[in-house]
Amino acid sequence: MLKERLLQDISELKVHGRTTACRAPLTLFWTASGFECNVTGSEFWVELEVCFDVFEPWFSYTINGDWVGRQMLQKGRYWVPLFRGMSPERVKNVHFFKDLQAMSDDGNSYISIHAFRYDGEFYAVKDKELKIEFIGDSITSGEGLIGARKECDWIPMFFSAIKSYTYQTAQILDAEYRIFSQSGWGVHNAWDNNIHGAIPKYYKEICSLMPGAKNETLGGNQPHDFASWQPDFVVVNLGTNDAASFDQPEWVDTQTGKCYKMRRTAEGDYDIEDIKIFQQAVKGFLALIRECNPKAHIIWCYGMLGISLQLYLCEAVSAYMHETGDQFVSYLQLPDTTKESVGSREHPGFLCHQQAAEVLSRHIAQMR
Amino acid sequence: MLKERLLQDISELKVHGRTTACRAPLTLFWTASGFECNVTGSEFWVELEVCFDVFEPWFSYTINGDWVGRQMLQKGRYWVPLFRGMSPERVKNVHFFKDLQAMSDDGNSYISIHAFRYDGEFYAVKDKELKIEFIGDSITSGEGLIGARKECDWIPMFFSAIKSYTYQTAQILDAEYRIFSQSGWGVHNAWDNNIHGAIPKYYKEICSLMPGAKNETLGGNQPHDFASWQPDFVVVNLGTNDAASFDQPEWVDTQTGKCYKMRRTAEGDYDIEDIKIFQQAVKGFLALIRECNPKAHIIWCYGMLGISLQLYLCEAVSAYMHETGDQFVSYLQLPDTTKESVGSREHPGFLCHQQAAEVLSRHIAQMR
Amino acid sequence: MLKERLLQDISELKVHGRTTACRAPLTLFWTASGFECNVTGSEFWVELEVCFDVFEPWFSYTINGDWVGRQMLQKGRYWVPLFRGMSPERVKNVHFFKDLQAMSDDGNSYISIHAFRYDGEFYAVKDKELKIEFIGDSITSGEGLIGARKECDWIPMFFSAIKSYTYQTAQILDAEYRIFSQSGWGVHNAWDNNIHGAIPKYYKEICSLMPGAKNETLGGNQPHDFASWQPDFVVVNLGTNDAASFDQPEWVDTQTGKCYKMRRTAEGDYDIEDIKIFQQAVKGFLALIRECNPKAHIIWCYGMLGISLQLYLCEAVSAYMHETGDQFVSYLQLPDTTKESVGSREHPGFLCHQQAAEVLSRHIAQMR
Amino acid sequence: MLKERLLQDISELKVHGRTTACRAPLTLFWTASGFECNVTGSEFWVELEVCFDVFEPWFSYTINGDWVGRQMLQKGRYWVPLFRGMSPERVKNVHFFKDLQAMSDDGNSYISIHAFRYDGEFYAVKDKELKIEFIGDSITSGEGLIGARKECDWIPMFFSAIKSYTYQTAQILDAEYRIFSQSGWGVHNAWDNNIHGAIPKYYKEICSLMPGAKNETLGGNQPHDFASWQPDFVVVNLGTNDAASFDQPEWVDTQTGKCYKMRRTAEGDYDIEDIKIFQQAVKGFLALIRECNPKAHIIWCYGMLGISLQLYLCEAVSAYMHETGDQFVSYLQLPDTTKESVGSREHPGFLCHQQAAEVLSRHIAQMR
């Protein structure tokens, strides 16, 4: 006989990803955020509430660590079955993943979790010994990991939390992880020179890059309580969109009329003044991450879509270390996307993410 | 603006898998059966009707050949969204797969397809130049391709059409294919010596291994019209359960009280009389397949879960060829499951199916 | 200070491969035959005596199991250095391999080992717990494992003992092994229908396929003492040249004027009478192997260059088992050569041999 | 009938590697130096003259691009056969490689090439369109690419030119290449803090790191004529030994009594003054390479044995670029050695070199 219970009443449940303290319901903001539970019984359902204007959320889930389902979500509040017919006495580990990044272009796109329907008992999910926070752009949001190579629509269908290097790195290291990422964004500006597309500007709030009233109501604009979850490693995978912006037209701030553009010289080299702005942003972000995560080792990663800014990036990371004396920072080049490892939308595919996870997890393992 | 149209009215649609002539609705019996369409527009929904008593069906689907979703189905008649927000003018290839075999243990488990909701136009799906029919047991039903290695529940969740060697072989060869398979069954009897679990007994009907009144109503017990779809290759992957039955207790037919058992000698060898019964079944099935598919090349495959009956099997295939003069038959050993390539439920995993698809597609390519 | 000692005086040395009892010097007949020793000291030389008319022998050697050198040998008696400058106190395992099959086309092609020059001590080489004999054709002789893909000269340079599936299988299983093989030969006749190119005819002597007076003198025509080395497994990899002979012109025995040819029917199928002759040869060879190796498990392998005779081969193996009651025989299909795994001279390359070694060693491991 | 001809008389021959203008005989100094020729005929010999006190040279050779032999060389002047029995009319490409670095610890270790014995004709070897110079330490000298993992003797046997990332990169890109490398050495000092073990100090001469009178006679100390061979890419793979020296005892210059040591701080961090010395050496070497190779793209590689100095290295490379305006410089991290990819002597093995070659050749290909 199936019983129903509200999420807020299940203390054994583990919540993944930055979110508010609210559990009635639990709001999922970021990619790979969700819940994890250990539960007995033969059958298990989850009650979702889903809203969006343009970009519908998707979810994936694993049972005992293996990916079993992925689906597009419709609007509304409804029940979704996650397993049926399993041996009732065994404990099943169920992990539900939001398979889409926080969509800053749709202030109404969220998944909320209300309740469960099941016929067993919940058991506590143990904390992992290792915690990692990933900060990044489309690569970290898993864009291009689903879909045929020829696909070029920028739609939720082609984002994946589970096939990404983040998930795989966490699996290899048996780590718990969170993701803070936004497709197209950079350290100083977005791929199109939009200076609002700068990840550091939003780092201190729960999820302040989501616009509009709904996010205000949900609490996404509230300060994030860093003390509540201190990662052992912060992995920053940014710079790819900053590099791209040197080859894009200027961006005009319609509010101020001001124009912004990362420039190249007449010879085609990077303008050194603009490089300094980029480097300043890198140093500033490192300082901010350190402020929020006093004991974490910070790893700046780069290279899955080319290394054009690598030397400048390294210079900035070094400069930060010299200027602050902070020694718990490292730089790591990740494997580039190749003809064989590319996914959809000209983004790194599963093979490239797999290679990145191997390199990154080895780097982390050496420092533990 | 989304419009709705009944499946029966869409001539451009292609139906995959053995089924009846009825299209209002289309009933899906076998694993990997479904529909395929080429459609423009930004959004696409399908109206399903799902029923089951014990074993719920699942489905997977691909967009432009890449797997994008998989979900457990609930009972009832309802709409499921398959894509949203895509470039309207482009033609999208959508392929919907029943991700579960015909479940002979649940006479009420079916998916029916009624209608589509969309905002574009349908375009014809071209026939492939190569057609393959796969006949097999749990391996061909994709059992064990989903789920953690430790899983041992025999449930729909752990079956997959898309990760199987059948799908992969068809992809490599750009072929259209159908599957006729049942977990646990063999050429002469099932793994538990049940003589009703013999694939050949059901080969001439559309899907007569599904029991009960509903199947009668749906037309699954009707003769299959072989002329309507003649494969170029028939791949038989049977023998694994026949081998297992030598090590299982006898099976008692409760209707007749008769006992059945494939025996070993006192020394542990296969009883030669029982081997002859198995061989007779192999020869009989080859003759039956030939009768139904006069021009097909028949490939008997074996070995993904051991090769204990291989020599006897080859002997029977050879004998069939000698006795009939039929030269369009071959035998192929497929790669065995290893520690590295095993999936859930001690069945071949994705890696093993991948290796099998490579070997099999090369074998087929050499004969075209 | 280097000292010299005759091979015959070193009891700690292990001799690999079928050879005579003579140790003054030791004659190497077969591919992969040679010596193995455990020796301390910093430096190590071997005194060889090499002769040939047409086909010069090559050798390879390993130090502590890793391949360090391979060279063409000149005629004459001379010293060859194998290592220098090593830590004197450590025991080095040195394994010297004849890198060329017994060359039945050059009755004067041999390597003999006379003596050693060194500055340490010899230590006993322990017997391995597993012994394997490989019987085969060019595949087992490692033809095509060296050389660019375009090479087509049939010369010693392109044969390799060490890159072959035989060496690799032995490595995986930690086994001691011997090879009995001849390029172009089969069970009943050679690739060109020459009935003298039948491996079974020579199996009972040490190396009677080498023609001429020198072999007589060396003792190659003497009966082989099977009791002296009983393998646990006999792997037969024959049938590829028998298959080829169906597509070759007849061979005329110049002594008797008699013509020999394996025929195809007007329709292009194998002539069933000739198939029976082939099958009789298979059965006869199995009986002969059993007679000489009463306790060995016999594995007939086939498939690295196609499987055209597979069903007939299996039929013959089965028939042998039925007729004799011999249960210690199995059949195993090996991975076929592909575009990616081909070597020189259109023979299986290293990748194909690697795949074969994996499949074969797993098969053997399951039976131990 | 074999004829003999002096190397100096064969204009069609191509010489690889930095050497003097002398061709009577040709002296081989560096690893991977040697000759390449296109020759018809059935048989081919080379006349070598070999000398050494401690470290004997080895050579490897390829026929038509495939590695066929490798052997330790004895002292003296003698003939070595390279091929026999080949189709006389075909042109064979023969490439002879010194398989050992210039050995700065043995001023008497050289290979000289005097003459050839053959029965065909020589044909010109075309220049490749791409030229690469590799500058490095033991990694670039191929140390650890031969030998069991447990080996720890520092001897010529365990060096390989052909298995190295240099050879493989050249193969992938169809490039001609030269190597300038020394095991244990760095940009500023050797692994043991010896300041004479600094590669840049010897870059302008042909091979001035070889000590003693013989090198003087051979002309190794002469200035190198950079105009005679201008690479398109200079790949520098240095820094690994500089990093190691921070953890080694001081080195005392016995001539001056002066002590040298790269230091760590009390906290275990790199001493920033010593880092600056290292960085100065990097910048200085870049300037020197640029001076000698005005049009080459310079790639500084690092990482096959860890990345501990990476940020400092990048900082120095960046600084060089800022200070000089030189834009034809890039930095590339190479794949680290792992448990799976390690070779002998705790050095990168073949798998690691293969991975490095893939990454490096892709990087180069993007810039052409």
Side-chain angles (χ1 to χ4, degrees):
Chain A
M1 193 52 194
L2 295 179
K3 53 194 164 191
E4 277 183 34
R5 217 159 130 206
L6 294 175
L7 182 144
Q8 68 181 118
D9 296 332
I10 303 171
S11 60
E12 296 89 349
L13 198 91
K14 184 172 190 72
V15 170
H16 289 284
R18 271 197 196 186
T19 187
T20 63
C22 178
R23 293 291 176 270
L26 163 68
T27 304
L28 305 183
F29 294 89
W30 300 96
T31 197
S33 63
F35 67 85
E36 181 184 356
C37 64
N38 287 328
V39 64
T40 55
S42 68
E43 197 166 331
F44 191 73
W45 298 63
V46 60
E47 192 191 18
L48 307 177
E49 187 172 357
V50 177
C51 56
F52 63 89
D53 289 334
V54 182
F55 296 114
E56 82 286 350
W58 290 58
F59 82 92
S60 278
Y61 70 109
T62 61
I63 303 282
N64 294 327
D66 198 70
W67 191 10
V68 297
R70 176 181 199 256
Q71 65 186 82
M72 182 193 292
L73 290 169
Q74 306 183 38
K75 286 175 193 173
R77 181 165 170 171
Y78 47 84
W79 288 92
V80 174
L82 297 185
F83 68 72
R84 280 193 75 253
M86 298 194 79
S87 299
E89 70 288 358
R90 295 193 169 214
V91 176
K92 270 74 67 175
N93 179 275
V94 180
H95 194 147
F96 180 106
F97 293 79
K98 185 166 186 267
D99 227 1
L100 180 66
Q101 66 171 16
M103 275 302 215
S104 61
D105 286 348
D106 181 352
N108 204 25
S109 176
Y110 297 96
I111 300 175
S112 302
I113 315 276
H114 284 278
F116 301 99
R117 198 180 274 164
Y118 62 107
D119 57 355
E121 300 298 330
F122 283 97
Y123 291 85
V125 175
K126 270 208 270 187
D127 281 356
K128 306 273 190 188
E129 284 188 18
L130 183 64
K131 291 190 179 63
I132 308 176
E133 182 180 52
F134 295 94
I135 303 171
D137 48 32
S138 58
I139 298 171
T140 303
S141 290
E143 184 178 337
L145 278 166
I146 300 272
R149 282 191 182 165
K150 67 173 181 183
E151 301 293 359
C152 48
D153 290 326
W154 193 79
I155 54 174
M157 187 187 278
F158 301 141
F159 284 79
S160 165
I162 289 217
K163 294 176 85 175
S164 137
Y165 79 94
T166 57
Y167 175 82
Q168 294 182 65
T169 300
Q171 287 292 106
I172 294 170
L173 296 168
D174 192 28
E176 186 178 314
Y177 73 108
R178 293 182 171 187
I179 293 180
F180 190 106
S181 65
Q182 195 65 200
S183 173
W185 290 26
V187 194
H188 175 258
N189 53 229
W191 69 281
D192 61 353
N193 285 295
N194 182 337
I195 54 155
H196 299 310
I199 290 285
K201 292 186 178 165
Y202 308 84
Y203 185 66
K204 296 190 79 167
E205 289 82 43
I206 291 170
C207 185
S208 56
L209 52 70
M210 287 293 283
K214 176 146 188 118
N215 198 50
E216 192 59 45
T217 311
L218 289 173
N221 297 327
Q222 294 298 311
H224 174 56
D225 174 14
F226 285 94
S228 65
W229 194 86
Q230 279 282 304
D232 303 293
F233 289 85
V234 176
V235 175
V236 189
N237 191 345
L238 284 171
T240 300
N241 288 302
D242 294 279
S245 68
F246 282 84
D247 299 311
Q248 293 294 325
E250 64 181 17
W251 174 81
V252 186
D253 188 332
T254 50
Q255 305 229 286
T256 64
K258 217 173 144 187
C259 297
Y260 295 89
K261 161 121 190 73
M262 297 302 258
R263 291 159 301 171
R264 286 188 178 269
T265 65
E267 293 76 35
D269 300 327
Y270 293 120
D271 179 294
I272 205 63
E273 290 311 311
D274 289 346
I275 286 292
K276 280 183 188 155
I277 291 171
F278 164 72
Q279 292 181 318
Q280 203 52 48
V282 170
K283 294 198 288 179
F285 194 25
L286 286 168
L288 175 60
I289 294 170
R290 174 58 70 231
E291 177 196 329
C292 301
N293 306 278
K295 292 183 173 166
H297 189 105
I298 306 173
I299 304 167
W300 200 297
C301 290
Y302 182 59
M304 289 171 73
L305 281 170
I307 55 170
S308 45
L309 285 186
Q310 178 166 255
L311 280 169
Y312 302 119
L313 185 49
C314 288
E315 207 174 25
V317 173
S318 274
Y320 162 79
M321 293 173 73
H322 291 316
E323 292 165 13
T324 62
D326 186 346
Q327 292 292 316
F328 291 97
V329 181
S330 62
Y331 171 81
L332 183 71
Q333 185 182 325
L334 295 180
D336 202 356
T337 301
T338 68
K339 237 177 26 231
E340 291 75 31
S341 69
V342 72
S344 67
R345 293 185 44 73
E346 302 186 340
H347 270 69
F350 181 62
L351 179 58
C352 182
H353 277 261
Q354 215 170 14
Q355 293 166 342
E358 279 165 25
V359 167
L360 177 55
S361 59
R362 214 150 48 217
H363 184 67
I364 291 176
Q366 282 166 358
M367 283 186 294
R368 289 184 75 185
Chain B
M1 195 50 193
L2 295 180
K3 53 195 165 191
E4 277 182 34
R5 217 157 130 207
L6 294 175
L7 181 144
Q8 67 181 116
D9 297 331
I10 302 170
S11 60
E12 295 89 351
L13 197 92
K14 186 174 190 69
V15 170
H16 288 284
R18 271 197 196 186
T19 187
T20 64
C22 176
R23 294 290 176 270
L26 164 67
T27 305
L28 305 183
F29 295 89
W30 300 97
T31 196
S33 63
F35 68 84
E36 181 183 355
C37 63
N38 287 328
V39 65
T40 56
S42 67
E43 196 165 333
F44 191 72
W45 298 64
V46 60
E47 191 191 19
L48 308 177
E49 188 172 357
V50 177
C51 56
F52 63 89
D53 289 334
V54 183
F55 296 113
E56 80 287 349
W58 289 58
F59 82 93
S60 276
Y61 70 109
T62 61
I63 303 282
N64 294 327
D66 198 69
W67 190 10
V68 297
R70 176 181 199 257
Q71 64 186 85
M72 183 193 292
L73 290 170
Q74 306 183 37
K75 286 174 193 172
R77 181 166 170 170
Y78 46 84
W79 287 93
V80 174
L82 297 185
F83 68 73
R84 279 191 76 252
M86 299 194 78
S87 299
E89 70 289 358
R90 297 192 169 214
V91 176
K92 270 75 65 177
N93 179 274
V94 180
H95 195 146
F96 179 106
F97 295 77
K98 183 163 187 270
D99 229 2
L100 180 66
Q101 65 171 17
M103 275 303 212
S104 60
D105 286 347
D106 180 351
N108 204 26
S109 176
Y110 298 96
I111 300 176
S112 302
I113 316 278
H114 283 278
F116 301 99
R117 200 180 272 163
Y118 62 107
D119 57 355
E121 300 298 328
F122 282 98
Y123 291 87
V125 176
K126 270 209 269 187
D127 281 355
K128 304 274 189 185
E129 284 189 16
L130 182 65
K131 292 189 180 63
I132 308 176
E133 182 181 52
F134 294 94
I135 303 171
D137 48 32
S138 58
I139 298 171
T140 302
S141 290
E143 184 178 338
L145 278 165
I146 299 274
R149 283 192 181 164
K150 67 174 181 182
E151 302 292 359
C152 48
D153 289 326
W154 192 78
I155 54 174
M157 185 187 279
F158 301 141
F159 284 79
S160 165
I162 289 215
K163 294 176 85 174
S164 137
Y165 79 94
T166 59
Y167 175 82
Q168 295 183 63
T169 299
Q171 287 293 106
I172 294 170
L173 296 168
D174 192 28
E176 187 178 314
Y177 73 108
R178 293 182 170 187
I179 293 180
F180 190 105
S181 64
Q182 195 65 200
S183 173
W185 289 27
V187 194
H188 175 259
N189 54 230
W191 69 280
D192 60 353
N193 286 294
N194 182 338
I195 55 157
H196 300 309
I199 291 283
K201 293 186 179 167
Y202 308 84
Y203 185 65
K204 295 190 81 167
E205 289 82 45
I206 291 170
C207 185
S208 56
L209 53 69
M210 288 293 283
K214 176 145 187 121
N215 199 50
E216 192 59 44
T217 312
L218 289 173
N221 297 327
Q222 293 297 311
H224 174 57
D225 174 13
F226 285 95
S228 65
W229 194 85
Q230 279 282 303
D232 303 293
F233 290 85
V234 176
V235 176
V236 189
N237 191 344
L238 285 172
T240 301
N241 289 301
D242 294 280
S245 68
F246 284 83
D247 299 310
Q248 293 294 326
E250 63 181 16
W251 174 81
V252 185
D253 188 331
T254 50
Q255 306 229 285
T256 64
K258 221 177 141 185
C259 298
Y260 295 90
K261 161 120 189 73
M262 297 300 257
R263 292 158 301 172
R264 288 188 178 267
T265 64
E267 292 75 38
D269 301 326
Y270 294 121
D271 179 294
I272 205 62
E273 290 311 309
D274 289 345
I275 286 292
K276 279 183 188 157
I277 291 171
F278 164 73
Q279 291 180 319
Q280 202 53 47
V282 169
K283 293 198 288 178
F285 194 24
L286 285 168
L288 175 61
I289 294 171
R290 173 58 70 229
E291 177 196 328
C292 301
N293 307 278
K295 292 183 173 165
H297 190 105
I298 307 172
I299 303 167
W300 200 298
C301 291
Y302 183 59
M304 292 171 73
L305 280 171
I307 54 169
S308 45
L309 286 186
Q310 177 165 257
L311 280 170
Y312 302 118
L313 186 48
C314 288
E315 207 174 24
V317 173
S318 274
Y320 163 79
M321 295 173 72
H322 292 317
E323 293 166 13
T324 62
D326 187 346
Q327 291 292 318
F328 292 96
V329 181
S330 61
Y331 172 80
L332 184 70
Q333 185 181 325
L334 294 181
D336 202 356
T337 300
T338 68
K339 236 177 27 230
E340 292 74 31
S341 68
V342 73
S344 67
R345 293 186 44 71
E346 301 185 341
H347 269 69
F350 181 62
L351 179 57
C352 183
H353 277 261
Q354 216 170 14
Q355 293 165 341
E358 280 165 24
V359 168
L360 177 55
S361 59
R362 212 148 50 217
H363 184 67
I364 291 176
Q366 282 166 358
M367 283 186 294
R368 289 185 74 183
Chain C
M1 195 52 193
L2 294 179
K3 54 193 163 192
E4 277 182 34
R5 214 157 132 211
L6 295 174
L7 181 143
Q8 66 181 117
D9 296 330
I10 302 170
S11 60
E12 297 89 350
L13 197 91
K14 184 174 193 68
V15 171
H16 289 282
R18 270 196 196 187
T19 187
T20 64
C22 177
R23 295 288 177 270
L26 163 68
T27 305
L28 305 183
F29 295 89
W30 300 97
T31 196
S33 64
F35 67 84
E36 181 183 355
C37 63
N38 287 328
V39 65
T40 56
S42 68
E43 197 165 332
F44 191 72
W45 299 64
V46 60
E47 191 191 19
L48 307 177
E49 186 171 1
V50 177
C51 56
F52 62 90
D53 289 334
V54 184
F55 296 113
E56 81 286 351
W58 289 59
F59 82 93
S60 277
Y61 70 110
T62 61
I63 303 282
N64 294 327
D66 198 70
W67 191 9
V68 298
R70 176 181 197 256
Q71 65 186 85
M72 184 194 291
L73 290 170
Q74 306 184 38
K75 286 174 194 174
R77 181 167 169 169
Y78 48 83
W79 287 93
V80 174
L82 298 185
F83 68 73
R84 279 193 75 254
M86 298 194 79
S87 300
E89 71 287 0
R90 296 192 170 214
V91 177
K92 270 75 66 177
N93 178 275
V94 180
H95 194 146
F96 179 105
F97 294 78
K98 183 164 188 269
D99 228 1
L100 180 65
Q101 66 171 17
M103 276 303 213
S104 60
D105 287 347
D106 181 350
N108 204 25
S109 176
Y110 298 95
I111 301 175
S112 301
I113 316 276
H114 284 278
F116 302 98
R117 198 180 275 162
Y118 60 108
D119 57 356
E121 300 297 330
F122 283 97
Y123 292 86
V125 176
K126 269 208 271 186
D127 281 355
K128 305 274 190 186
E129 285 190 15
L130 182 65
K131 292 190 179 62
I132 308 176
E133 182 181 51
F134 294 94
I135 303 171
D137 49 31
S138 58
I139 298 171
T140 303
S141 289
E143 182 178 341
L145 278 166
I146 299 273
R149 283 193 181 163
K150 67 174 181 184
E151 302 293 359
C152 49
D153 289 327
W154 192 79
I155 53 175
M157 186 186 279
F158 301 142
F159 284 78
S160 165
I162 289 217
K163 293 175 85 174
S164 136
Y165 80 95
T166 58
Y167 175 82
Q168 294 183 64
T169 299
Q171 287 292 107
I172 294 171
L173 296 168
D174 192 28
E176 186 178 315
Y177 73 107
R178 293 181 170 188
I179 292 180
F180 190 106
S181 64
Q182 195 65 199
S183 174
W185 290 27
V187 194
H188 174 258
N189 54 231
W191 69 280
D192 60 353
N193 285 295
N194 183 337
I195 54 155
H196 299 310
I199 290 285
K201 293 185 179 165
Y202 308 84
Y203 186 67
K204 295 190 82 167
E205 290 82 44
I206 290 170
C207 185
S208 56
L209 52 70
M210 289 293 283
K214 175 143 187 122
N215 199 51
E216 194 57 45
T217 313
L218 289 173
N221 297 326
Q222 293 299 310
H224 174 57
D225 175 12
F226 286 94
S228 65
W229 193 86
Q230 279 282 302
D232 303 293
F233 289 85
V234 176
V235 175
V236 189
N237 190 346
L238 285 171
T240 300
N241 289 302
D242 294 280
S245 68
F246 283 85
D247 300 310
Q248 293 294 326
E250 64 182 17
W251 174 81
V252 186
D253 188 332
T254 51
Q255 306 230 284
T256 66
K258 219 175 143 186
C259 297
Y260 296 89
K261 160 116 188 79
M262 297 301 256
R263 293 160 299 171
R264 286 188 179 269
T265 65
E267 292 77 36
D269 301 326
Y270 293 121
D271 180 294
I272 204 62
E273 290 311 310
D274 289 347
I275 285 293
K276 279 183 188 156
I277 292 171
F278 165 72
Q279 291 181 319
Q280 202 53 47
V282 169
K283 293 197 289 178
F285 195 24
L286 285 169
L288 174 61
I289 295 170
R290 173 58 70 228
E291 177 196 328
C292 301
N293 307 278
K295 290 184 175 167
H297 189 106
I298 307 172
I299 303 168
W300 200 298
C301 291
Y302 182 59
M304 289 171 75
L305 279 171
I307 55 170
S308 46
L309 285 186
Q310 178 165 255
L311 280 170
Y312 302 118
L313 186 48
C314 288
E315 208 173 23
V317 173
S318 274
Y320 163 78
M321 294 174 73
H322 291 317
E323 293 165 13
T324 62
D326 187 345
Q327 292 292 317
F328 291 96
V329 181
S330 61
Y331 172 80
L332 183 71
Q333 184 181 327
L334 294 180
D336 201 358
T337 300
T338 68
K339 237 176 27 229
E340 292 74 31
S341 68
V342 73
S344 67
R345 292 186 45 70
E346 302 186 340
H347 270 69
F350 182 61
L351 179 57
C352 183
H353 277 260
Q354 216 170 13
Q355 293 165 342
E358 279 164 25
V359 168
L360 177 55
S361 59
R362 214 151 46 217
H363 184 68
I364 292 175
Q366 282 165 358
M367 283 185 295
R368 290 185 73 185
Chain D
M1 195 51 193
L2 294 179
K3 53 194 164 191
E4 276 184 33
R5 217 158 130 208
L6 294 175
L7 181 143
Q8 67 180 117
D9 296 330
I10 302 171
S11 61
E12 296 88 350
L13 198 92
K14 183 172 193 71
V15 170
H16 289 283
R18 272 196 195 187
T19 186
T20 64
C22 177
R23 294 290 175 270
L26 162 68
T27 305
L28 306 184
F29 294 89
W30 300 96
T31 196
S33 63
F35 68 85
E36 181 184 356
C37 64
N38 288 328
V39 66
T40 56
S42 69
E43 197 165 330
F44 190 73
W45 298 64
V46 60
E47 191 191 20
L48 307 177
E49 187 171 358
V50 177
C51 56
F52 63 90
D53 288 334
V54 183
F55 297 112
E56 81 287 350
W58 290 58
F59 82 94
S60 277
Y61 70 110
T62 61
I63 303 282
N64 295 327
D66 198 70
W67 191 11
V68 297
R70 175 179 200 259
Q71 65 186 84
M72 183 194 292
L73 290 169
Q74 305 183 39
K75 287 174 192 173
R77 181 166 170 169
Y78 47 85
W79 288 92
V80 174
L82 297 185
F83 68 74
R84 279 192 75 252
M86 298 194 79
S87 299
E89 70 287 359
R90 296 194 169 212
V91 177
K92 270 74 66 178
N93 179 275
V94 180
H95 194 146
F96 179 105
F97 294 78
K98 183 165 188 268
D99 229 1
L100 180 64
Q101 66 171 16
M103 276 303 214
S104 60
D105 286 348
D106 181 351
N108 205 24
S109 176
Y110 298 95
I111 300 175
S112 302
I113 317 278
H114 284 277
F116 302 98
R117 197 179 276 164
Y118 60 107
D119 57 357
E121 300 299 329
F122 282 97
Y123 292 86
V125 176
K126 269 209 271 189
D127 281 355
K128 305 274 189 186
E129 284 189 17
L130 182 66
K131 292 189 180 65
I132 308 175
E133 182 180 52
F134 294 93
I135 304 171
D137 49 31
S138 59
I139 298 171
T140 302
S141 290
E143 182 178 340
L145 278 166
I146 300 272
R149 283 191 182 166
K150 67 173 181 184
E151 302 291 0
C152 48
D153 289 327
W154 192 79
I155 54 175
M157 185 188 280
F158 301 141
F159 285 78
S160 165
I162 290 217
K163 293 176 86 175
S164 137
Y165 79 95
T166 58
Y167 175 82
Q168 294 183 64
T169 299
Q171 287 292 105
I172 293 170
L173 296 168
D174 191 29
E176 187 178 314
Y177 73 107
R178 292 181 170 188
I179 293 179
F180 190 105
S181 65
Q182 196 65 198
S183 174
W185 289 27
V187 193
H188 175 259
N189 55 229
W191 70 281
D192 60 353
N193 285 294
N194 182 337
I195 55 156
H196 299 309
I199 290 284
K201 292 186 178 164
Y202 308 84
Y203 185 67
K204 295 190 83 166
E205 289 82 45
I206 291 170
C207 185
S208 56
L209 52 70
M210 287 294 283
K214 177 148 187 117
N215 197 50
E216 194 59 45
T217 313
L218 289 172
N221 298 327
Q222 294 299 309
H224 174 57
D225 174 12
F226 285 94
S228 65
W229 195 85
Q230 278 282 303
D232 303 292
F233 290 85
V234 176
V235 175
V236 189
N237 190 346
L238 285 171
T240 300
N241 288 302
D242 295 279
S245 68
F246 283 84
D247 299 310
Q248 293 293 326
E250 65 181 18
W251 174 81
V252 185
D253 187 334
T254 50
Q255 305 231 285
T256 64
K258 217 174 144 187
C259 297
Y260 296 90
K261 160 119 190 74
M262 297 301 257
R263 293 158 300 172
R264 287 187 178 267
T265 65
E267 294 75 35
D269 301 325
Y270 293 122
D271 179 296
I272 205 61
E273 290 311 309
D274 289 346
I275 286 293
K276 280 183 188 155
I277 291 171
F278 165 72
Q279 291 181 318
Q280 202 53 47
V282 170
K283 292 198 289 179
F285 194 25
L286 284 169
L288 175 60
I289 295 170
R290 172 59 68 229
E291 177 197 328
C292 301
N293 306 277
K295 291 183 173 165
H297 188 105
I298 307 172
I299 303 167
W300 201 296
C301 291
Y302 183 59
M304 289 171 74
L305 280 171
I307 54 170
S308 45
L309 285 186
Q310 177 165 256
L311 280 169
Y312 302 119
L313 184 49
C314 287
E315 208 174 24
V317 173
S318 274
Y320 163 78
M321 293 173 74
H322 291 316
E323 291 165 14
T324 61
D326 186 346
Q327 292 293 316
F328 291 96
V329 181
S330 61
Y331 171 81
L332 183 70
Q333 184 182 326
L334 294 180
D336 201 357
T337 301
T338 68
K339 235 176 27 229
E340 291 76 30
S341 68
V342 73
S344 67
R345 293 186 44 72
E346 301 185 340
H347 270 69
F350 182 62
L351 179 58
C352 182
H353 276 260
Q354 215 171 14
Q355 292 165 342
E358 279 165 25
V359 167
L360 177 55
S361 60
R362 214 149 49 218
H363 184 67
I364 291 175
Q366 282 165 359
M367 282 186 297
R368 291 184 73 184

